[in-house]
Amino acid sequence: MSTSRGRFSRAVVTTGMLTAVVLGGSSCAAGTPTPSGTSAPAATPAPAPGAPTASGFTVPAGPQIVFRNTEPGDGFGKVATVPLTSPSGKRTVSGLSCERVDASREALSCLSLNSISPVGYRETLYDGAGAVIRFWPLSGPPSRTRLSPDSRLVAWTAFVDGESYANVKFSTLTTITSLHGTHYGPLDAFTFLVDAQPYTAVDLNFWGVTFADDGNIFYATAASAGHTWLVRGNLRGRTVVALQDGVECPSLSPDGTRVAYKKNLGTADAPRWTLAVLDLASGKETVLPLAGSVDDQAEWLDDRTVLFGLPVAGKSGDFNVYSAPADGSAPETLLMEHAWSPSVVR
């Protein structure tokens, strides 16, 4: 079950990121865990060169959908909002640029392009008033980010080598931290159990974190040797346990009873992605009858409906957001054009 896992590539990444922290002025080093139950280093008291500034973004009053605007023009790539009651209506586009975004009333997590030459990326946490809380350099292009239901925890995933999921050889770095306090570091540092036995392998990767509402339990994807497991993590125990094979990018329902995730209906060489929903109590899986091939981490609109993005054919970088019943009773319907990475804020 267990093989020796090489850490050389991760050590190189961490060293580079620590160098970036020193030069960039951030006191929080991604990929460098502080012991469980301790506090992360204090924030830099004054902005250093290259430090992010206040975003100027706040979520408008009333239920909203916060998302990355992909409409061509000056607002491309900027964080935008629409009223939840009118998702196809007029959107409010901010000045904040993010490759991936997740938002709540209390916080916003933004994975963004930090520099062009050389190319660099950054994770920045903002409070509800748009002020910077903390920030970290990323190991490579952004992949996913999620806030916990109480906005006290955040997770993000970035590629280490810049390769995509379409390539079987890729490496990711997934980090969890509290917004104010404990820095849990990368999931690589957690004990991973498969069939109650410790599992280590050179190709082991984690991504796609989603949080329960207790401040401790989370779900994610672990991948190794052709397997993609749904895993349940325990922050205080620093353990990750494999639950079910064939699961990617889980998203926990608001009531905490079900997980929506990517499921491959094709082969490894010719994947055909759709979404499925797993009832955690019964183990029943419902495959959603979607027409498109879904390469996204779903968002729950409510306990009955999931949201996800699909690329617009022939338009690079442009996406639409669709909704679908979580019980599999109907295919997807278009919810928002020119939008990506949605989060529901009530």
Side-chain angles (χ1 to χ4, degrees), residues 274 288-292 305-306 308 322-334:
T274 191
L288 305 190
L290 308 181
T305 309
V306 293
F308 57 91
Y322 293 80
S323 66
D327 63 3
S329 59
E332 70 268 36
T333 58
L334 179 64

Side-chain angles (χ1 to χ4, degrees), residues 17-18 20-21 24-34 40-43 50-52 108-114 120-126 132-140 142 145 147 152-156 158 173 175-186:
M17 294 171 74
L18 285 170
V21 167
S26 171
S27 61
C28 304
T32 307
T34 56
L108 182 142
S109 174
C110 174
L111 306 185
S112 64
L113 181 67
N114 183 37
Y121 299 90
R122 177 168 59 203
E123 154 68 2
T124 307
L125 295 173
Y126 299 93
V132 176
I133 301 174
R134 302 161 76 178
F135 65 97
W136 292 259
L138 296 179
S139 57
T145 185
L147 292 162
R152 295 183 180 182
L153 296 167
V154 65
W156 66 87
L173 192 66
T175 300
I176 297 178
T177 188
S178 63
L179 274 69
H180 305 278
T182 304
H183 186 61
Y184 296 96

